[in-house]
Amino acid sequence: MSYFRERNKTRNEYSGYQEVSDGLRSRLSAICERYTAKGLIGSGQGGFWIPARILNHEIKLYLNKADMTAALVGKYDEVFEAVEIFLYVAKTSASRKFPKILVDVISAFNIAGSVYQVDPGTGQVELRIEDKLAADIEAASDALSETRHARNEFLDAVGGLMSRNKSPEEIVNDIFVAFEDYLKTSMHAKEYGEAVTKLVKEEIISPTQKSLLEKIYAYRSDTYGVVHAGKGNKPKEIDALWFLETVTAQILFLDRKLKQLQ
């Protein structure tokens, strides 16, 4: 079932590298509450419920937390280990409901736009992208923090990519808009081109680097479906990921250069 925000592509969250967003925590908590039986399991209900005593025993053993609730408010690594423990116990104790439980947990990560995902085969939490890119995205987010609109737009695009709630062309456009806003704000310019020209004039970047920034603008302009029917092909998910990697690298580079001038 596709609900309103998903159909209209307005449901975009982000849960980043080595973190668990509040939205993801609350969803995981609701799932655990839904499928865990705190009392006795009635006759004929075996395989439908996760016994709290078994789950909490495993949580105490491996995480030294009182119960699942306590584990889900811990550090990111504790939360993800608790999720793996929860799925393991669910598979062994609630086998008749496990497929639905697994789908719900996977959906929680997807809806939250997490850079992590649950492998449906192993039940393990893993990064969707390489560690370095995940860390770079966090660093770029920090660099954009003084330009709130740019930061929000950037993280919204990343969340849309992770959850697949945005099309690749929307992701490319939103990443560029965030980058453009960052450049214009940093250089006190009215347009992207003016900001790039100022970067060269003030010797913050070289003419070669200026060419790269112009190519970023050209790619966004020429890619079919981003702002109009351009000359290039309609971007795919891998193209959106490449654009994210490219722009993220530029944000980090410019942030270092600009800070040297302060």
Side-chain angles (χ1 to χ4, degrees), residues 112-240:
S114 177
V115 297
Y116 296 89
Q117 64 184 353
V118 174
D119 185 303
T122 65
Q124 295 178 337
V125 179
E126 57 186 29
L127 271 169
R128 299 177 193 264
I129 54 181
E130 293 181 357
D131 292 64
K132 184 180 185 305
L133 176 58
D136 285 349
I137 289 170
E138 289 302 301
S141 173
D142 290 341
L144 296 172
S145 60
E146 294 183 7
T147 313
R148 180 171 295 183
H149 177 268
R151 182 179 184 274
N152 291 343
E153 194 79 27
F154 179 76
L155 293 181
D156 187 61
V158 175
L161 177 61
M162 296 301 118
S163 64
R164 292 181 169 85
N165 282 332
K166 284 194 173 190
S167 66
E169 53 266 35
E170 288 176 311
I171 293 164
V172 168
N173 183 65
D174 291 352
I175 290 172
F176 177 82
V177 169
F179 186 46
E180 179 183 37
D181 193 25
Y182 167 70
L183 285 185
K184 290 192 299 185
T185 301
S186 300
M187 300 308 298
H188 306 287
K190 293 182 179 180
E191 297 180 354
Y192 182 88
E194 180 187 352
V196 172
T197 298
K198 282 189 172 183
L199 285 168
V200 177
K201 186 176 180 180
E202 296 180 20
E203 298 184 347
I204 298 171
I205 63 173
S206 69
T208 301
Q209 290 163 333
K210 174 177 181 286
S211 177
L212 175 57
L213 296 185
E214 290 172 341
K215 284 181 169 61
I216 288 175
Y217 177 86
Y219 177 81
R220 182 257 193 170
S221 298
D222 290 344
T223 299
Y224 180 86
V226 173
V227 290
H228 50 67
K231 299 175 184 178
N233 294 325
K234 188 174 182 179
K236 298 179 180 178
E237 192 171 275
I238 192 171
D239 301 311

Side-chain angles (χ1 to χ4, degrees), residues 14-160:
Y14 177 70
S15 185
Y17 183 57
Q18 295 186 348
E19 73 172 22
V20 187
S21 67
D22 291 341
L24 180 53
R25 287 180 193 271
S26 64
R27 288 184 178 94
L28 292 172
S29 178
I31 292 168
C32 294
E33 182 73 21
R34 170 68 179 82
Y35 295 109
T36 302
K38 296 180 180 178
L40 294 175
I41 298 175
S43 176
Q45 293 296 305
F48 284 103
W49 301 98
I50 300 167
R53 59 181 180 80
I54 296 177
L55 175 61
N56 292 335
H57 171 75
E58 295 293 307
I59 292 294
K60 183 65 177 179
L61 180 63
Y62 289 98
L63 289 171
N64 196 28
K65 300 284 185 178
D67 51 30
M68 191 69 185
T69 299
L72 289 178
V73 297
K75 296 180 295 183
Y76 88 96
D77 56 326
E78 294 172 330
V79 173
F80 292 157
E81 184 163 338
V83 168
E84 293 183 355
I85 292 170
F86 174 77
L87 289 174
Y88 172 77
V89 175
K91 190 173 184 178
T92 56
S93 301
S95 57
R96 297 165 74 177
K97 266 291 179 63
F98 181 71
K100 173 60 176 169
I101 294 171
L102 179 61
V103 167
D104 282 359
V105 173
I106 290 173
S107 295
F109 279 80
N110 290 341
I111 293 170
S114 177
V115 297
Y116 296 89
Q117 64 184 353
V118 174
D119 185 303
T122 65
Q124 295 178 337
V125 179
E126 57 186 29
L127 271 169
R128 299 177 193 264
I129 54 181
E130 293 181 357
D131 292 64
K132 184 180 185 305
L133 176 58
D136 285 349
I137 289 170
E138 289 302 301
S141 173
D142 290 341
L144 296 172
S145 60
E146 294 183 7
T147 313
R148 180 171 295 183
H149 177 268
R151 182 179 184 274
N152 291 343
E153 194 79 27
F154 179 76
L155 293 181
D156 187 61
V158 175

